[in-house]
Amino acid sequence: MKTYHGTRTPTGPAVWIENGRVLQMLPHVVKHSPTGFNWGYGGSGSADLALSLLTDALGHRRRAEALYQDFKWAVVAQLPDEWTLTRHDILDWVRQKTIQEVSP
């Protein structure tokens, strides 16, 4: 199961992907923030993280671009200093968002 982890380090926020025994840093899809990823607020670092998480989890940048601002406010802006999200968590959020969009 693919899992995303974030923590604040002395040199700044760090986000990595755990996929089985493989660890890698989450790549930036687009840099909204000159200081990179961040979370716990609604600024550009959170937008950067939201877009990158969605793109990786969905495997589809165009769909991620349509959702990342809402994901930023609903999820990324609420994250604590240390956090873990699974790909399943992210896809569940996408499913719920899609259901809300099509419900009358």
Side-chain angles (χ1 to χ4, degrees):
M1 172 192 302
K2 188 180 271 194
T3 307
Y4 304 91
H5 303 277
T7 190
R8 299 195 188 284
T9 71
T11 58
V15 180
W16 67 95
I17 303 167
E18 180 181 0
N19 197 0
R21 292 183 177 200
V22 177
L23 290 176
Q24 68 184 49
M25 298 306 288
L26 178 67
H28 285 111
V29 172
V30 117
K31 291 187 179 182
H32 292 280
S33 169
T35 57
F37 291 143
N38 216 324
W39 56 87
Y41 75 110
S44 60
S46 295
D48 195 17
L49 179 58
L51 180 57
S52 296
L53 285 169
L54 282 169
T55 299
D56 190 83
L58 291 168
H60 195 277
R61 183 168 173 172
R62 187 172 302 157
R63 181 70 175 134
E65 287 176 345
L67 295 169
Y68 84 97
Q69 285 291 339
D70 290 336
F71 186 70
K72 174 185 76 173
W73 289 110
V75 178
V76 176
Q78 312 306 316
L79 292 172
D81 285 344
E82 291 190 28
W83 54 268
T84 298
L85 290 171
T86 65
R87 181 173 181 262
H88 183 76
D89 295 333
I90 295 169
L91 296 179
D92 276 350
W93 181 89
V94 171
R95 281 186 208 97
Q96 289 300 315
K97 178 69 177 162
T98 303
I99 289 168
Q100 291 171 0
E101 289 175 353
V102 297
S103 295

